[in-house]
């Protein structure tokens, strides 16, 4: 056999060997992929868990790694409530309201009371934890006859996230400024960098103060409780009763009496000055008038001079 025939035979054998090796690897790879696909449901879906729920859980786990949690319990919400309750004993109901707020972990932010008896009125500002806001409101409504309730919410989540990002950025700026300040080589650079670092620290302190204020508003909700006695008039009742001829006549008379009282008050305030200044002025005027009334002195007339007669 010549060299050309030997070369062709060797080439054919090599190609056959390459094809055999490739086919074996492909079969192994396909079998491995089928084995992994067959075992994937067993690994993803535990015993007793439906495949649909397992797929949803896997999708949530795969996509929720870096996304923010937007659940209601993770949001920053400010709760504010106004409630008015008519009670028989205002002081007793006020003590019960304070007890309800302190028992929930809150405190009294303001307490204003006036009058006594059945016309008494009290206004309390209660600060309670946000998670106890609704139970406390319901407990306050049971103190008597509820006449008004207003609940307001304000979502501060975006503002909170923005403040956190700005605080992180500002802290990095402060740290970089301090590093530059430590490497200052001249007096001018030292003064300029100290001023810049002080400005950045002031901005950071302002942002942190806003964050603390916002955290206080979201952590503690505000409830304004108004307690009125059995015979006390509310603002709405006063507005409804503020029409008619008799109401206008009564208002005009009250305005007249009030104006007369103001006038008498002004006159009473001016009376001491009038006495202190009027008496000397009156005496001076009397003296001047007395001088004017005195007759002028009469001068004596000289006797008439006889006329000389001429000679005839």
């Amino acid at each position: 056999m010549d060299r050309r025939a030997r070369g062709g035979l060797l080439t054919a054998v090599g190609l056959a060997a390459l094809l055999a090796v490739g086919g074996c690897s492909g079969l192994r790879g396909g079998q491995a992929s089928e084995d992994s696909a067959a075992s994937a449901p067993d690994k993803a879906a535990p015993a007793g868990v439906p495949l649909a729920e397992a797929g949803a859980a896997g999708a949530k786990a795969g996509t929720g790694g870096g996304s923010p949690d937007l659940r209601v319990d993770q949001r920053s919400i400010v709760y504010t409530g106004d409630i008015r309750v008519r009670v028989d004993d205002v002081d007793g109901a006020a003590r019960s309201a304070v007890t309800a707020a302190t028992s929930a972990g809150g405190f009294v932010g303001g307490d204003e009371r006036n009058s006594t008896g059945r016309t008494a009125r009290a206004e309390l500002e209660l600060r309670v934890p946000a998670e106890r806001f609704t139970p406390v409101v319901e407990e306050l409504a049971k103190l008597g006859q509820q006449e008004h309730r207003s609940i307001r919410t304000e979502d501060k989540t975006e503002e909170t996230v923005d403040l956190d990002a700005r605080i992180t950025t500002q802290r990095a700026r402060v740290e970089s400024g301090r590093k530059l300040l430590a490497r200052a080589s001249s007096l001018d650079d030292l003064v300029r960098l100290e001023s810049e670092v002080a400005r950045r620290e002031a901005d950071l302190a302002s942002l942190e103060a806003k964050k603390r204020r916002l955290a206080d508003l979201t952590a503690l909700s505000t409830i304004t409780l108004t307690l009125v006695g059995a015979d006390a008039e509310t603002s709405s009742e006063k507005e409804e009763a503020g029409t008619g001829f008799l109401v206008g006549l009564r208002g005009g008379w009250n305005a007249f009496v009030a104006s007369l009282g103001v006038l008498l008050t002004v006159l009473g305030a001016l009376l001491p000055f009038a006495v202190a200044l009027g008496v000397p002025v009156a005496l001076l005027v009397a003296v001047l008038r007395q001088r004017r009334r005195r007759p002028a002195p009469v001068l004596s007339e000289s006797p008439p001079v006889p006329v000389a007669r001429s000679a005839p």
Side-chain angles (χ1 to χ4, degrees):
M1 185 180 292
D2 56 0
R3 294 181 179 179
R4 185 176 297 177
R6 289 180 180 178
L9 180 60
L10 292 175
T11 302
V13 173
L15 290 175
L18 290 175
L19 291 175
V21 173
C24 293
S25 61
L27 290 174
R28 291 178 181 176
Q31 186 177 359
S33 61
E34 290 177 0
D35 294 340
S36 61
S39 61
D42 296 336
K43 295 180 180 179
V49 179
L51 292 178
E53 296 181 2
K60 184 182 294 185
T63 59
S67 59
D69 193 352
L70 298 180
R71 293 178 300 174
V72 175
D73 57 348
Q74 298 297 327
R75 302 186 71 87
S76 299
I77 300 178
V78 178
Y79 295 92
T80 306
D82 294 324
I83 182 172
R84 183 174 66 244
V85 182
R86 188 175 294 275
V87 296
D88 295 331
D89 184 6
V90 173
D91 290 335
R95 288 192 295 269
S96 300
V98 172
T99 302
T102 53
S103 300
F107 61 92
V108 179
D111 188 346
E112 182 180 355
R113 309 183 192 186
N114 52 33
S115 186
T116 57
R118 298 176 63 86
T119 60
R121 182 184 180 91
E123 184 170 340
L124 305 177
E125 181 179 335
L126 308 176
R127 303 293 306 278
V128 297
E131 62 274 8
R132 297 287 299 166
F133 176 79
T134 302
V136 172
V137 169
E138 295 296 336
E139 186 174 354
L140 295 177
K142 297 178 182 178
L143 294 175
Q145 181 182 358
Q146 178 181 276
E147 295 184 345
H148 172 75
R149 180 190 293 194
S150 175
I151 305 298
R152 297 178 299 276
T153 60
E154 188 175 0
D155 195 345
K156 295 288 187 178
T157 305
E158 294 183 0
E159 186 174 350
T160 302
V161 174
D162 179 66
L163 274 177
D164 290 338
R166 292 173 62 186
I167 288 173
T168 302
T169 304
Q170 193 64 26
R171 284 176 179 170
R173 295 186 62 193
V174 170
E175 291 299 327
S176 63
R178 290 174 178 174
K179 291 179 181 179
L180 292 175
L181 181 62
R183 295 196 301 265
S185 58
S186 62
L187 182 60
D188 294 338
D189 293 341
L190 182 63
V191 173
R192 180 174 56 83
L193 289 174
E194 283 182 348
S195 176
E196 180 64 20
V197 170
R199 185 182 64 82
R200 294 183 180 183
E201 289 177 346
D203 293 341
L204 177 60
S206 177
L207 292 175
E208 291 176 343
K210 291 180 180 180
K211 179 63 183 300
R212 288 192 298 270
R213 173 61 178 169
L214 187 58
D216 176 71
L217 292 175
T218 55
L220 294 174
S221 302
T222 303
I223 302 175
T224 302
L225 173 64
T226 303
L227 299 171
V228 293
D231 297 336
E233 290 185 355
T234 60
S235 58
S236 59
E237 293 175 352
K238 291 180 180 179
E239 292 177 358
E240 291 178 358
T243 58
F245 174 77
L246 295 179
V247 174
L249 181 61
R250 188 183 303 109
W253 175 255
N254 293 334
F256 172 74
V257 172
S259 301
L260 185 60
V262 172
L263 180 61
L264 293 177
T265 302
V266 173
L267 291 177
L270 295 178
L271 183 60
F273 297 94
V275 172
L277 298 177
V279 173
V281 171
L283 293 176
L284 180 61
V285 171
V287 170
L288 293 177
R289 287 183 178 179
Q290 188 67 24
R291 288 182 179 181
R292 289 181 181 178
R293 290 177 181 178
R294 289 180 181 178
V298 180
L299 299 176
S300 59
E301 298 179 354
S302 57
V305 178
V307 178
R309 297 181 178 180
S310 59

